[in-house]
């Protein structure tokens, strides 16, 4: 059973950076596409980035317009870890952030649909406030 553990959340001032990590308990992380999602109180869970398999899809990434140019997802398959670098953070970025995994064979390019992911971490809180 694949397990995902997020870390790196916390309180950050507007405009500041933060890096989240998602550690996976799996032998070969590259078998999975990984997504980062967030959920703010009273709002639906939304995708903020995903990364495809490196070997089969070149590690292609997807971002919504709301974070494009500010967030960067990357994967280190040797360390079984996926990162989310967040810059120029805004109060609207405040949410619980989750990483999720799905079989990379299902999608040539990863998707930002929560229903497409089978495995989820427990989340890490990110608060952007002065």
């Amino acid at each position: 059973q694949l397990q995902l553990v997020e870390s790196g959340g916390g309180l950050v001032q507007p405009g500041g950076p933060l890096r989240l990590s998602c550690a996976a308990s799996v032998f070969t992380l590259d078998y999975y596409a990984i997504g980062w999602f967030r959920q703010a109180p009273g709002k639906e869970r939304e995708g903020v980035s995903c990364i495809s398999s490196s070997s089969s899809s070149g590690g292609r990434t997807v971002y919504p317009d709301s974070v494009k140019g500010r967030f960067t997802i990357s994967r280190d398959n040797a360390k079984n870890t996926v990162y989310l670098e967040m810059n120029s953070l805004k109060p609207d970025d405040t949410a619980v952030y989750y990483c999720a995994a799905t079989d990379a064979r299902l999608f040539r390019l990863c998707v930002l649909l929560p229903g497409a992911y089978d495995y989820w971490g427990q989340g890490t809180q990110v608060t952007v406030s002065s």
Side-chain angles (χ1 to χ4, degrees):
Q1 180 76 5
L2 172 61
Q3 293 184 329
L4 303 170
V5 179
E6 303 94 337
S7 61
L11 174 64
V12 61
Q13 291 189 341
L18 202 63
R19 187 177 83 158
L20 305 183
S21 299
C22 172
S25 64
V26 65
F27 185 73
T28 307
L29 182 63
D30 203 43
Y31 288 168
Y32 299 89
I34 305 296
W36 280 98
F37 296 83
R38 67 186 180 188
Q39 189 164 20
K43 295 187 177 181
E44 293 186 354
R45 190 168 296 189
E46 64 169 338
V48 296
S49 67
C50 67
I51 186 165
S52 306
S53 165
S54 299
S55 58
S56 61
S57 301
R60 288 185 291 171
T61 58
V62 177
Y63 303 93
D65 288 343
S66 59
V67 307
K68 197 171 292 183
R70 299 190 298 123
F71 289 14
T72 303
I73 189 172
S74 61
R75 64 191 303 156
D76 186 336
N77 292 323
K79 294 183 179 180
N80 284 346
T81 302
V82 174
Y83 303 98
L84 182 66
E85 298 273 359
M86 304 186 293
N87 293 299
S88 302
L89 282 164
K90 307 173 182 179
D92 284 349
D93 295 318
T94 295
V96 178
Y97 283 70
Y98 301 89
C99 65
T102 188
D103 189 332
R105 294 170 296 181
L106 297 177
F107 306 99
R108 183 175 296 276
L109 179 65
C110 62
V111 296
L112 293 176
L113 298 173
Y117 291 79
D118 298 312
Y119 306 96
W120 291 81
Q122 293 188 333
T124 185
Q125 176 70 45
V126 172
T127 302
V128 184
S129 175
S130 55

